[in-house]
Amino acid sequence: MFLSIIFFVLVTHVGSVKPGELKPKNIFLLAGQSNMAGRGGIYNDTKTNLLKWDGKVPPQCTPTPNILTLSLNKTWEIAREPLHKEIDNLKTCGVGPGMPFSNQILAKRPNFGVIGLVPCAVGGTKIERWQKGTNLYNQLVDRARAARQSSGGNIRALLWYQGESDCDERDSRLYKGRLEKFFNNVRHDLDSPELPILMIVVSTGEGKFLRSVRDAQLNINLKNVVRVDSMGSTYLVGDLHLDTKSAVRIGQKLADNFLYNFLH
């Protein structure tokens, strides 16, 4: 009963905060493909043969006025799962790493300040589609600039989870050069040459060259790029998408690595 009252008060408080009342001090960019967009809790509805989200929000993804998200129309709103439903709108989105990442930071650093998440991930996208001049690249940079300008906050890091779609022979061979170029271009265009990048090293892929993509990610030689290995994760049917448990785990690992490497 007591817990129910607490939950009711929390939800009521979250719902009572109007857009524009809070602005984030700390901005994090979320980019990549489906595992960053979030597929935790997605299942196939056998009646309709459509993918649906089960609607289950783990405690580590609880909404709070201290975690905001930049909506599609570039206004700040309280962040809720599925975080990428407006951006990755052609796919069914579920739980991803963004919310557990944010809640973990606030749990360990209560005075960190309001967090602003900028969802930009789109499922099924190769690294080639993130090169400078592409729609995805332009959207990422545009939303990042809008987030910074509208809040007056600082972009603290780019969270990057991508590579599963590049596990064929040709793309895996070109992956390292394309990834380094992407990171360098984002830093340049955001006037942040040492922008921290937290990169998840993929552990599953569409093709036979997963090891080549992993090797490319593990051998990136750029300053302030921290790797978080997803090896050991558990997946939904098909072995491509993280389940809710592993999405939470990856989000928390990202937070721990950010705090350890960039917030001593």
Side-chain angles (χ1 to χ4, degrees), residues 24-29 112 114-116 144 147-149 151-157 192 195:
K25 175 183 175 184
N26 307 285
I27 298 167
F28 293 93
L29 312 177
F112 185 69
V114 178
I115 290 174
R148 188 165 55 191
Q149 184 175 2
S151 67
N154 295 318
I155 299 176
R156 303 299 296 268
S192 184
L195 175 71

Side-chain angles (χ1 to χ4, degrees), residues 10 13-15 17 21-28 62-69 76-80 98-99 101-107 109-117:
L10 175 64
H13 178 55
V14 168
V17 178
E21 286 185 2
L22 287 175
K23 292 185 178 180
K25 175 183 175 184
N26 307 285
I27 298 167
F28 293 93
T62 301
T64 158
N66 290 319
I67 306 173
L68 308 180
T69 184
W76 291 107
E77 301 173 354
I78 290 174
R80 290 180 173 84
M99 288 298 288
F101 166 81
S102 305
N103 273 311
Q104 178 86 336
I105 287 180
L106 295 177
R109 295 292 178 93
N111 298 321
F112 185 69
V114 178
I115 290 174
L117 300 175

Side-chain angles (χ1 to χ4, degrees), residues 22-76:
L22 287 175
K23 292 185 178 180
K25 175 183 175 184
N26 307 285
I27 298 167
F28 293 93
L29 312 177
L30 311 179
Q33 52 183 118
S34 54
N35 277 319
M36 179 58 80
R39 297 293 187 264
I42 299 297
Y43 69 98
N44 185 55
D45 185 340
T46 53
K47 292 182 179 178
T48 61
N49 202 31
L50 296 174
L51 293 176
K52 291 187 176 180
W53 177 47
D54 63 15
K56 296 177 181 177
V57 179
Q60 301 90 340
C61 299
T62 301
T64 158
N66 290 319
I67 306 173
L68 308 180
T69 184
L70 192 73
S71 70
L72 189 62
N73 65 4
K74 299 173 187 170
T75 58
W76 291 107

Side-chain angles (χ1 to χ4, degrees), residues 27-32 36 101 118 120-121 130 137 140 144 155-161 179 182-187 190 192 194-200 224-226 254 258 262:
I27 298 167
F28 293 93
L29 312 177
L30 311 179
M36 179 58 80
F101 166 81
V118 184
C120 296
W130 288 91
Y137 181 89
L140 170 63
I155 299 176
R156 303 299 296 268
L158 164 67
L159 278 55
W160 177 252
Y161 195 163
L179 186 61
F182 166 71
F183 287 162
N184 285 329
N185 283 332
V186 168
R187 285 172 162 173
L190 293 180
S192 184
E194 296 187 356
L195 175 71
I197 295 171
L198 297 161
M199 175 180 64
I200 295 95
N224 284 355
V225 175
V226 173
L254 285 166
F258 172 76
F262 304 114

